[in-house]
Amino acid sequence: NAGVMQNPRHLVRRRGQEARLRCSPMKGHSHVYWYRQLPEEGLKFMVYLQKENIIDESGMPKERFSAEFPKEGPSILRIQQVVRGDSAAYFCASSSERADTQYFGPGTRLTVL
Amino acid sequence: AQSVSQHNHHVILSEAASLELGCNYSYGGTVNLFWYVQYPGQHLQLLLKYFSGDPLVKGIKGFEAEFIKSKFSFNLRKPSVQWSDTAEYFCALNSGGYQKVTFGTGTKLQVIP
Protein backbone atom coordinates (compact mmCIF):
# COMPACT_ATOMS: atom_id res chain seq x y z
CA ASN A 1 0.00 0.00 0.00
CA ALA A 2 2.98 2.31 0.18
CA GLY A 3 2.69 2.57 -3.60
CA VAL A 4 -0.26 4.98 -3.57
CA MET A 5 1.13 8.49 -3.67
CA GLN A 6 -0.65 11.64 -2.66
CA ASN A 7 0.51 15.21 -2.79
CA PRO A 8 0.70 17.55 -1.22
CA ARG A 9 0.67 15.97 2.24
CA HIS A 10 -0.43 19.21 3.82
CA LEU A 11 -2.28 22.02 2.12
CA VAL A 12 -3.32 25.34 3.61
CA ARG A 13 -5.84 27.51 1.83
CA ARG A 14 -7.79 30.64 2.70
CA ARG A 15 -11.52 30.71 2.33
CA GLY A 16 -12.53 31.19 -1.30
CA GLN A 17 -9.38 29.70 -2.79
CA GLU A 18 -9.13 26.51 -4.77
CA ALA A 19 -7.58 23.28 -3.52
CA ARG A 20 -6.15 20.63 -5.83
CA LEU A 21 -5.28 17.26 -4.40
CA ARG A 22 -3.38 14.70 -6.43
CA CYS A 23 -3.30 10.94 -6.27
CA SER A 24 -1.12 8.52 -8.19
CA PRO A 25 -2.43 4.97 -7.84
CA MET A 26 -0.30 1.96 -7.17
CA LYS A 27 1.43 0.62 -10.24
CA GLY A 28 -0.92 -1.55 -12.24
CA HIS A 29 -4.05 -0.19 -10.57
CA SER A 30 -6.70 1.44 -12.71
CA HIS A 31 -9.34 2.17 -10.08
CA VAL A 32 -9.14 5.19 -7.80
CA TYR A 33 -11.31 6.13 -4.85
CA TRP A 34 -11.41 9.29 -2.77
CA TYR A 35 -12.47 9.42 0.86
CA ARG A 36 -12.75 12.25 3.35
CA GLN A 37 -12.03 11.95 7.06
CA LEU A 38 -13.42 14.71 9.20
CA PRO A 39 -12.07 15.19 12.74
CA GLU A 40 -13.31 12.45 15.09
CA GLU A 41 -15.12 10.68 12.27
CA GLY A 42 -14.47 7.68 10.08
CA LEU A 43 -13.72 7.79 6.40
CA LYS A 44 -16.58 8.71 4.12
CA PHE A 45 -16.63 7.63 0.51
CA MET A 46 -16.67 10.46 -1.99
CA VAL A 47 -16.05 9.20 -5.50
CA TYR A 48 -14.89 6.18 -7.49
CA LEU A 49 -13.14 6.61 -10.80
CA GLN A 50 -11.59 4.53 -13.49
CA LYS A 51 -9.45 5.98 -16.23
CA GLU A 52 -11.41 8.83 -17.85
CA ASN A 53 -14.65 7.72 -16.20
CA ILE A 54 -16.50 8.60 -13.03
CA ILE A 55 -18.17 5.40 -11.88
CA ASP A 56 -19.80 6.52 -8.64
CA GLU A 57 -19.87 10.04 -7.25
CA SER A 58 -22.66 9.50 -4.77
CA GLY A 59 -20.52 10.76 -1.89
CA MET A 60 -19.45 14.01 -3.51
CA PRO A 61 -20.97 17.28 -2.33
CA LYS A 62 -23.17 18.64 -5.06
CA GLU A 63 -21.29 21.91 -5.43
CA ARG A 64 -17.65 23.01 -5.52
CA PHE A 65 -16.20 19.46 -5.59
CA SER A 66 -15.07 17.64 -8.71
CA ALA A 67 -12.78 14.75 -9.51
CA GLU A 68 -11.06 13.40 -12.56
CA PHE A 69 -8.76 10.57 -13.50
CA PRO A 70 -7.32 11.36 -16.93
CA LYS A 71 -5.80 8.88 -19.31
CA GLU A 72 -2.38 10.19 -18.41
CA GLY A 73 -1.35 11.51 -15.03
CA PRO A 74 -2.71 11.41 -11.51
CA SER A 75 -6.26 11.61 -10.31
CA ILE A 76 -7.22 15.10 -9.16
CA LEU A 77 -9.73 16.06 -6.50
CA ARG A 78 -10.59 19.72 -6.92
CA ILE A 79 -12.37 21.85 -4.36
CA GLN A 80 -13.38 25.31 -5.50
CA GLN A 81 -14.05 28.25 -3.19
CA VAL A 82 -13.04 26.33 -0.08
CA VAL A 83 -14.78 26.92 3.23
CA ARG A 84 -13.66 26.08 6.77
CA GLY A 85 -15.87 23.01 6.78
CA ASP A 86 -13.73 21.52 4.01
CA SER A 87 -10.84 21.15 6.45
CA ALA A 88 -10.23 17.41 6.66
CA ALA A 89 -7.92 14.63 5.65
CA TYR A 90 -8.53 13.44 2.12
CA PHE A 91 -7.45 9.91 1.35
CA CYS A 92 -7.03 8.29 -2.00
CA ALA A 93 -7.12 4.53 -2.50
CA SER A 94 -6.51 2.38 -5.53
CA SER A 95 -7.28 -1.15 -6.59
CA SER A 96 -6.63 -3.46 -9.48
CA GLU A 97 -9.07 -4.59 -12.17
CA ARG A 98 -10.34 -7.26 -9.75
CA ALA A 99 -10.97 -4.37 -7.38
CA ASP A 100 -11.38 -6.52 -4.31
CA THR A 101 -9.03 -4.69 -1.96
CA GLN A 102 -8.25 -1.01 -1.79
CA TYR A 103 -4.87 0.28 -0.78
CA PHE A 104 -4.59 3.71 0.70
CA GLY A 105 -2.25 6.62 0.27
CA PRO A 106 -0.88 8.78 3.09
CA GLY A 107 -3.58 11.39 2.70
CA THR A 108 -3.64 15.14 2.19
CA ARG A 109 -4.52 17.21 5.21
CA LEU A 110 -6.35 20.31 4.07
CA THR A 111 -6.63 23.25 6.40
CA VAL A 112 -8.82 26.16 5.44
CA LEU A 113 -8.06 29.38 7.28
CA ALA B 1 -27.86 0.75 2.40
CA GLN B 2 -24.83 -0.70 4.08
CA SER B 3 -23.45 0.50 7.41
CA VAL B 4 -20.74 -0.42 9.89
CA SER B 5 -20.86 0.12 13.65
CA GLN B 6 -17.92 0.19 15.99
CA HIS B 7 -19.25 0.66 19.48
CA ASN B 8 -15.96 1.15 21.31
CA HIS B 9 -14.61 4.56 20.43
CA HIS B 10 -11.68 4.53 22.79
CA VAL B 11 -10.02 1.52 24.42
CA ILE B 12 -7.15 1.63 26.89
CA LEU B 13 -5.23 -1.55 27.69
CA SER B 14 -2.04 -2.49 29.45
CA GLU B 15 0.63 -4.36 27.53
CA ALA B 16 0.01 -8.13 27.34
CA ALA B 17 -3.72 -7.70 27.81
CA SER B 18 -6.03 -9.37 25.32
CA LEU B 19 -7.89 -7.26 22.80
CA GLU B 20 -11.29 -7.58 21.20
CA LEU B 21 -12.75 -4.76 19.15
CA GLY B 22 -16.35 -5.05 18.12
CA CYS B 23 -17.66 -4.52 14.61
CA ASN B 24 -21.21 -5.03 13.44
CA TYR B 25 -22.50 -4.38 9.98
CA SER B 26 -25.80 -3.97 8.28
CA TYR B 27 -26.32 -5.36 4.80
CA GLY B 28 -28.57 -8.10 3.53
CA GLY B 29 -26.34 -9.56 0.86
CA THR B 30 -22.83 -10.84 0.35
CA VAL B 31 -20.17 -8.71 1.96
CA ASN B 32 -16.40 -8.40 1.98
CA LEU B 33 -15.08 -7.32 5.37
CA PHE B 34 -11.88 -5.53 6.28
CA TRP B 35 -9.96 -4.23 9.23
CA TYR B 36 -7.61 -1.32 8.60
CA VAL B 37 -5.19 0.23 11.07
CA GLN B 38 -3.96 3.81 11.15
CA TYR B 39 -0.86 4.36 13.26
CA PRO B 40 -0.28 7.89 14.54
CA GLY B 41 0.66 10.14 11.65
CA GLN B 42 0.49 7.37 9.10
CA HIS B 43 -1.97 6.23 6.46
CA LEU B 44 -4.35 3.33 6.59
CA GLN B 45 -2.90 -0.12 6.29
CA LEU B 46 -4.81 -3.31 5.66
CA LEU B 47 -4.70 -5.63 8.67
CA LEU B 48 -6.85 -8.44 7.34
CA LYS B 49 -9.80 -9.17 5.10
CA TYR B 50 -12.58 -11.70 4.71
CA PHE B 51 -14.18 -12.56 1.40
CA SER B 52 -15.33 -16.16 1.82
CA GLY B 53 -14.28 -19.50 3.26
CA ASP B 54 -12.92 -19.98 6.76
CA PRO B 55 -14.66 -17.39 8.94
CA LEU B 56 -11.60 -17.08 11.16
CA VAL B 57 -9.17 -14.83 9.35
CA LYS B 58 -5.59 -14.26 10.38
CA GLY B 59 -3.87 -11.02 9.52
CA ILE B 60 -0.58 -9.30 10.08
CA LYS B 61 1.04 -8.60 13.45
CA GLY B 62 -0.82 -11.37 15.26
CA PHE B 63 -4.31 -10.01 14.65
CA GLU B 64 -7.25 -12.17 13.73
CA ALA B 65 -10.95 -11.62 13.14
CA GLU B 66 -13.97 -13.88 13.13
CA PHE B 67 -16.89 -13.47 10.77
CA ILE B 68 -20.15 -14.54 12.41
CA LYS B 69 -22.84 -14.25 9.79
CA SER B 70 -25.73 -14.84 12.16
CA LYS B 71 -24.61 -11.93 14.31
CA PHE B 72 -23.53 -9.67 11.43
CA SER B 73 -20.24 -9.29 13.26
CA PHE B 74 -16.56 -9.22 12.39
CA ASN B 75 -14.70 -8.66 15.66
CA LEU B 76 -10.97 -8.08 15.75
CA ARG B 77 -8.85 -9.93 18.32
CA LYS B 78 -5.29 -10.13 19.52
CA PRO B 79 -4.24 -12.33 22.45
CA SER B 80 -1.55 -10.01 23.79
CA VAL B 81 -1.21 -6.37 22.76
CA GLN B 82 2.00 -4.38 22.61
CA TRP B 83 2.66 -0.69 23.03
CA SER B 84 3.29 -0.53 19.28
CA ASP B 85 -0.34 -1.53 18.65
CA THR B 86 -1.43 1.94 19.75
CA ALA B 87 -3.39 3.15 16.74
CA GLU B 88 -6.86 3.70 15.38
CA TYR B 89 -8.64 0.65 13.99
CA PHE B 90 -11.32 0.80 11.33
CA CYS B 91 -13.74 -1.91 10.36
CA ALA B 92 -15.02 -1.66 6.80
CA LEU B 93 -17.06 -3.49 4.24
CA ASN B 94 -18.03 -3.50 0.64
CA SER B 95 -20.75 -5.54 -0.91
CA GLY B 96 -19.80 -8.13 -3.47
CA GLY B 97 -19.21 -6.61 -6.87
CA TYR B 98 -19.53 -3.04 -5.69
CA GLN B 99 -16.45 -1.05 -4.93
CA LYS B 100 -17.56 1.61 -2.52
CA VAL B 101 -16.15 0.81 0.93
CA THR B 102 -18.12 1.82 3.98
CA PHE B 103 -16.10 2.47 7.11
CA GLY B 104 -16.98 2.43 10.77
CA THR B 105 -16.13 5.46 12.87
CA GLY B 106 -13.01 3.82 14.22
CA THR B 107 -11.73 2.68 17.61
CA LYS B 108 -8.73 4.37 19.14
CA LEU B 109 -6.60 1.88 21.00
CA GLN B 110 -4.10 3.10 23.55
CA VAL B 111 -1.72 0.54 24.98
CA ILE B 112 0.01 1.52 28.19
CA PRO B 113 3.49 0.12 28.76
Side-chain angles (χ1 to χ4, degrees):
Chain A
N1 61 353
V4 179
M5 306 294 290
Q6 288 188 252
N7 68 81
R9 296 291 304 276
H10 300 274
L11 182 61
V12 179
R13 286 288 178 265
R14 296 190 181 280
R15 280 179 296 172
Q17 292 184 319
E18 178 179 286
R20 280 182 177 245
L21 289 62
R22 295 174 186 77
C23 169
S24 296
M26 193 179 287
K27 186 176 181 180
H29 286 186
S30 57
H31 300 237
V32 165
Y33 314 80
W34 286 94
Y35 294 84
R36 177 165 62 176
Q37 185 180 29
L38 294 169
E40 304 301 318
E41 294 187 21
L43 281 79
K44 303 289 186 189
F45 168 81
M46 298 181 76
V47 62
Y48 162 38
L49 309 105
Q50 295 178 20
K51 285 284 187 183
E52 299 184 282
N53 283 307
I54 297 174
I55 307 302
D56 180 354
E57 57 182 345
S58 59
M60 289 279 269
K62 293 289 185 278
E63 298 175 348
R64 301 187 297 107
F65 284 72
S66 62
E68 63 177 8
F69 188 17
K71 188 176 180 181
E72 301 291 338
S75 175
I76 306 287
L77 179 67
R78 182 181 177 206
I79 312 172
Q80 295 178 292
Q81 299 175 323
V82 296
V83 301
R84 288 216 174 106
D86 296 332
S87 295
Y90 292 83
F91 289 93
C92 168
S94 73
S95 69
S96 65
E97 279 295 329
R98 280 187 58 214
D100 53 6
T101 303
Q102 296 177 20
Y103 295 91
F104 283 79
T108 294
R109 279 157 179 79
L110 172 66
T111 301
V112 179
L113 301 176
Chain B
Q2 53 199 34
S3 65
V4 178
S5 297
Q6 292 181 249
H7 302 295
N8 307 107
H9 298 295
H10 203 162
V11 173
I12 301 174
L13 293 173
S14 298
E15 273 192 317
S18 64
L19 169 73
E20 181 160 4
L21 300 183
C23 172
N24 289 91
Y25 68 92
S26 172
Y27 186 72
T30 302
V31 292
N32 300 323
L33 293 156
F34 308 85
W35 275 98
Y36 285 89
V37 60
Q38 188 176 28
Y39 296 103
Q42 298 187 26
H43 58 284
L44 277 86
Q45 300 174 39
L46 183 66
L47 262 184
L48 48 80
K49 60 186 178 183
Y50 171 80
F51 290 161
S52 63
D54 188 344
L56 185 61
V57 180
K58 294 194 184 298
I60 60 171
K61 306 188 181 187
F63 286 91
E64 65 178 30
E66 185 175 12
F67 171 55
I68 303 179
K69 190 175 182 179
S70 61
K71 294 184 178 180
F72 296 90
S73 70
F74 190 55
N75 291 356
L76 180 71
R77 299 196 292 250
K78 186 171 183 177
S80 175
V81 294
Q82 301 172 320
W83 176 79
S84 58
D85 293 325
T86 294
E88 190 160 14
Y89 293 81
F90 294 93
C91 183
L93 71 82
N94 68 0
S95 52
Y98 187 62
Q99 306 318 318
K100 168 183 167 180
V101 174
T102 299
F103 284 84
T105 52
T107 298
K108 290 182 179 175
L109 171 65
Q110 184 178 357
V111 179
I112 301 170

